[in-house]
Every structure is written in structure tokens, then in C-alpha cells.
Amino acid sequence: MMLVLLLPQLPEDILLLLFSYSDTQALGRLSQVCRKFHSLISRDTLWRRIAKVSLNTGITRLGRDTFPQIALKERVKFSQNWKRGRCHQEILLRWKYSLLPWLQLDDQWLYLSQAADIRAYPLRQNGVSFQRRPISVYTGHRDDVCRFVVSESHIISGGGDGKIIVCNTCNSFYAAYSAHDQEVNCIDSRGHVIVSGSRDKTARIWSLCSHQLGECLHTIRTDDRVWSVAINPTLSSVMTGTACCGHASPLRIWDLQRRSVMEWEEPHDCALYCLQSDGNFMIASGSSRYGVVRLWDKRQTKSLQVFFLSSPSSSPVYCLRFTTSHLYTALAHALYMLDFTISQPQYGK
């Protein structure tokens, strides 16, 4: 008992060292002891170790923090909600006609494709709601936009016409080139690299450098139609989601030598239309049927959580994007949001 009474009188650096050996539950209980403990346990330094091994906290494999404006303690709480499937579901926007929409998030902007156009909507300060009237519209494809990505100041889109179009949001730069013989079903970009996937059963790696724009660097033969691609943040590998029509696993990771190094099976043999990684352990995927979103932990072989988005037409999940606290999904008739900031019982209770 005497030790417990003297513990708050120890220097802060000693307390921080002691607290650093505690797990999430112990830190939650210690924060309720006194104001001094509560203040110390709110510091990011104590939660960084836990955040590195938690799902979607914004800490990448290389240790980069992608959401420094949110306290790590809060992000670890959100992570528990992701892991347990605790969220609030809401429809942000509806439209009358059935579309194959795609969306991207960039700072305070939400970009949404509708037919051959890409529309930019400003997110309000709360990061959730947005104005219904777009501020900018980008166009250029002769067919519908299948997928697009916002990379720094570029909007890079792939269309049903088999072309890739690169636009600069800061000036009038515009470039278009033929990429595949069939539809460009999916696209991603990081650094000076573009990856595209197509119904022609290939994923192709392109250069985004001005002097090599439109030059194909590598072709990956997937033996199945490619519906989704994602580039590892370290640029060391490429992830593909395929139609699940052959014997190959629909979710695969390829190294730069175009060898498959990791695979996961989709439980219901559905095509994976979209996927995103948190840059660490979590992958979110959207399937071709029933509005199903799955969360995957790379350290496990089975899916971690599944979310069923209500849709009268059993629409595919055409696109999903997430921050550390919210997940946005685009179906045929509506834009959905899953909010993982909902309150939960205090740690240790």
C-alpha cells in the first residue's frame, strides 16, 4: 500500500519508463488513478509501441505517422473498434441511376467519379459531411472512368476506353496514352510509379516521370482478370485482387521480380473490386456481391471482420477508402460512411 501511495511522487521520466512496459488494458486502468497519471498516459510516446502493432493507427511499417493531428491514444481506441467491428453506418449521398463509382480522399477533398467525369467535393471541418455541389470537374475519357487515383497534385484515371489519363490539379497539364487492349479496371500510383490492371489478365507498371510518361516498365501475368491493385508504400511490392475465375488466389502480393509472395483466399469466391492497405497490417477489401466489406490482418489467414452494407440491388462495393477513423464506400446508388470513433467502455472495465 505504501508503494502505491508513493508511486505518484516519482519523477515523470521514471513513471514514463515504468508505464512503457504496460499494455493497453493496464494503461487504461492507470490513467484513472489520478490526474498526474492521466496526463502522462495521454502522451504519444507511451502509445507509439502499441500503435505499431495495432490495426490502422496511421503508423506505417517504416514508422511514418500519417495522422499526426490525432492523439495516438485515441487512434489505438479507434483501432479496437476496427478490430471488433464496432462502427456507425450512414449514407452520405444518393443518386438516381446505377453507376460504377470510384472515390479518393485527399486532405480535405473527396473525389468521386460518375460516368466519364471526376468530381471534387470539399469535406467540411468535421471530416465527414461535404457539400453536395462539386467545386471542380475533370473529364477526358471517351468511356466511363473505371478507376482513378489522386497522387500529390495529379489525378490519374483509367477508363473503359483502355486509356490512362494524367491531369495536374494545379495547372493545365494533361496527358493520355493507351495502356491496355481492354478496360483499365484499376489503377494506383506512388512516387513516380503507376500500376494498372485490366480484364486482359495483366497488371502493368508505368513510369510517371515526365521523360518516361507512358512507358511500360513491367507486365505481371495474373492468369485472371484484375479488378484491383495497390502499391506498397515502400514501392517494394504490388497487391492485386482478381476475379476469382481460375485456380489462382484472388488476393496476392507480388515482389518487383513479378513473383507472388503472399496469398489469401476470399471465403465466398467473389471478385475483389477494391482494396486498400493501412501501410502496416490491415487490408480492407470490397467484393462483387452483397455490398460486403472485409477487414484482413496480414498476420492471420482468415478475414478479421465483415460488414454488410444495406443495398436494395445487392450492389458490389465498387470502391472503399479509409482514414484512421472512418471508412467510405461507393456502391451503385449511394456513398456510405462507417464511423469507428464511437465510444466504448474504458480499458480495463
Side-chain angles (χ1 to χ4, degrees):
M1 180 66 69
M2 182 63 66
L3 179 61
V4 174
L5 293 175
L6 293 177
L7 194 60
Q9 300 177 26
L10 292 175
E12 288 189 1
D13 55 343
I14 300 298
L15 287 173
L16 289 172
L17 178 61
L18 293 174
F19 293 163
S20 68
Y21 294 99
S22 303
D23 59 15
T24 302
Q25 188 178 56
L27 287 175
R29 289 173 174 172
L30 285 168
S31 67
Q32 301 174 49
V33 171
C34 62
R35 292 182 180 179
K36 181 177 181 179
F37 280 17
H38 185 274
S39 176
L40 290 176
I41 290 172
S42 296
R43 296 185 182 181
D44 280 359
T45 53
L46 281 179
W47 294 92
R48 192 170 185 85
R49 174 182 56 85
I50 298 173
K52 284 183 178 180
V53 297
S54 300
L55 294 179
N56 194 30
T57 57
I59 304 297
T60 68
R61 185 174 298 178
L62 296 178
R64 186 171 67 90
D65 191 345
T66 56
F67 296 99
Q69 69 276 17
I70 305 176
L72 275 177
K73 179 181 178 181
E74 293 302 310
R75 284 182 271 166
V76 170
K77 290 182 180 180
F78 301 161
S79 176
Q80 296 296 313
N81 287 339
W82 286 89
K83 183 177 180 179
R84 298 167 183 169
R86 293 171 52 89
C87 64
H88 168 71
Q89 186 181 132
E90 181 181 345
I91 296 177
L92 296 182
L93 185 66
R94 294 182 185 270
W95 44 87
K96 294 182 179 179
Y97 304 103
S98 180
L99 299 173
L100 280 72
W102 191 252
L103 65 91
Q104 291 286 354
L105 301 176
D106 180 35
D107 294 330
Q108 296 301 311
W109 293 88
L110 186 148
Y111 297 86
L112 179 68
S113 68
Q114 294 180 299
D117 297 334
I118 300 172
R119 304 179 181 186
Y121 297 86
L123 288 171
R124 298 203 176 111
Q125 289 184 355
N126 60 13
V128 177
S129 58
F130 63 98
Q131 298 179 14
R132 294 181 177 272
R133 179 174 297 180
I135 299 298
S136 302
V137 179
Y138 302 89
T139 188
H141 286 282
R142 291 178 297 178
D143 206 334
D144 287 356
V145 174
C146 296
R147 304 288 173 88
F148 71 93
V149 64
V150 180
S151 179
E152 296 179 352
S153 59
H154 293 98
I155 296 180
I156 305 164
S157 59
D161 52 10
K163 290 186 176 182
I164 291 177
I165 292 180
V166 180
C167 297
N168 193 307
T169 57
C170 301
N171 53 46
S172 59
F173 176 81
Y174 172 94
Y177 55 90
S178 296
H180 291 268
D181 296 332
Q182 300 185 46
E183 298 98 320
V184 181
N185 287 333
C186 48
I187 201 160
D188 193 15
S189 178
R190 286 183 182 272
H192 297 290
V193 174
I194 301 171
V195 175
S196 61
S198 172
R199 293 176 63 92
D200 63 10
K201 301 182 180 181
T202 66
R204 292 180 177 171
I205 302 175
W206 310 82
S207 172
L208 188 55
C209 298
S210 57
H211 62 284
Q212 290 182 299
L213 189 62
E215 179 179 337
C216 182
L217 303 178
H218 301 289
T219 298
I220 299 173
R221 307 287 177 182
T222 61
D223 299 322
D224 202 355
R225 290 171 292 177
V226 184
W227 287 109
S228 50
V229 295
I231 305 174
N232 185 286
T234 63
L235 303 181
S236 61
S237 61
V238 174
M239 185 163 50
T240 60
T242 53
C244 208
C245 293
H247 298 293
S249 299
L251 185 56
R252 286 179 282 177
I253 294 179
W254 309 76
D255 62 18
L256 292 184
Q257 283 71 45
R258 288 157 283 173
R259 297 175 301 188
S260 176
V261 294
M262 296 182 72
E263 300 181 354
W264 292 270
E265 294 291 340
E266 212 288 327
H268 300 289
D269 293 335
C270 295
L272 298 181
Y273 275 7
C274 53
L275 49 86
Q276 184 185 355
S277 170
D278 68 346
N280 199 5
F281 297 115
M282 193 180 83
I283 300 172
S285 65
S287 69
S288 59
R289 291 186 295 174
Y290 312 127
V292 172
V293 173
R294 295 187 188 277
L295 299 185
W296 307 78
D297 188 331
K298 294 180 183 178
R299 297 163 293 187
Q300 302 178 19
T301 57
K302 297 182 179 180
S303 61
L304 183 66
Q305 290 292 342
V306 58
F307 303 97
F308 297 91
L309 304 182
S310 57
S311 174
S313 59
S314 298
S315 165
V317 177
Y318 288 113
C319 183
L320 59 80
R321 285 294 178 265
F322 60 78
T323 65
T324 190
S325 56
H326 294 82
L327 184 143
Y328 301 84
T329 59
L331 277 67
H333 294 94
L335 176 66
Y336 288 77
M337 181 198 69
L338 276 63
D339 181 356
F340 290 85
T341 64
I342 60 174
S343 60
Q344 60 179 0
Q346 291 288 332
Y347 296 129
K349 288 189 177 181

